Amino acid sequence: MTSEAHVVMITAGRVSSEASVPSIVFMALFAAIGLLLALNVKGIADRFSDVIATVTFGVFDAYQTGVYRFIGAGLALFGCIGVAVEVTVGLS
């Protein structure tokens, strides 16, 4: 066996110490919540709009559901980029 193949076999199961599992989970959660809002699964954006209007005492009452769907798409994009970056850093 060559020395190069031996090094590959030794390091095959190891991960970088910079891989952060909590960061990956946090970003995946961002992506999941964002997708739920963006796709309006079972009217979740409508319910979210109602909850936000109630909790903030009508400050955000004028916003339509489309605004929350747009914010959800941004969260999904942010979460997917975050997961990709964390996995890439972990594998390098």
Side-chain angles (χ1 to χ4, degrees), residues 1-10:
M1 182 183 317
T2 65
S3 63
E4 184 178 318
H6 187 263
V7 170
V8 170
M9 287 177 58
I10 290 174

Side-chain angles (χ1 to χ4, degrees), residues 37-38 40 43-50 60-72:
L37 277 173
N40 200 15
I44 196 167
D46 299 323
R47 292 187 205 136
F48 184 75
S49 175
D50 293 340
F60 295 105
D61 196 25
Y63 292 145
Q64 299 293 323
T65 305
V67 173
Y68 296 114
R69 292 182 73 183
F70 183 74
I71 292 170

Side-chain angles (χ1 to χ4, degrees), residues 2-92:
T2 65
S3 63
E4 184 178 318
H6 187 263
V7 170
V8 170
M9 287 177 58
I10 290 174
T11 61
R14 297 184 185 174
V15 293
S16 172
S17 62
E18 296 181 20
S20 177
V21 174
S23 293
I24 294 172
V25 170
F26 183 71
M27 290 297 164
L29 187 64
F30 254 48
I33 291 171
L35 278 175
L36 286 175
L37 277 173
L39 298 176
N40 200 15
V41 177
K42 293 189 177 183
I44 196 167
D46 299 323
R47 292 187 205 136
F48 184 75
S49 175
D50 293 340
V51 168
I52 291 296
T54 303
V55 170
T56 59
F57 304 110
V59 175
F60 295 105
D61 196 25
Y63 292 145
Q64 299 293 323
T65 305
V67 173
Y68 296 114
R69 292 182 73 183
F70 183 74
I71 292 170
L75 282 176
L77 180 65
F78 178 71
C80 289
I81 290 172
V83 168
V85 167
E86 286 294 327
V87 169
T88 303
V89 166
L91 292 177
S92 64

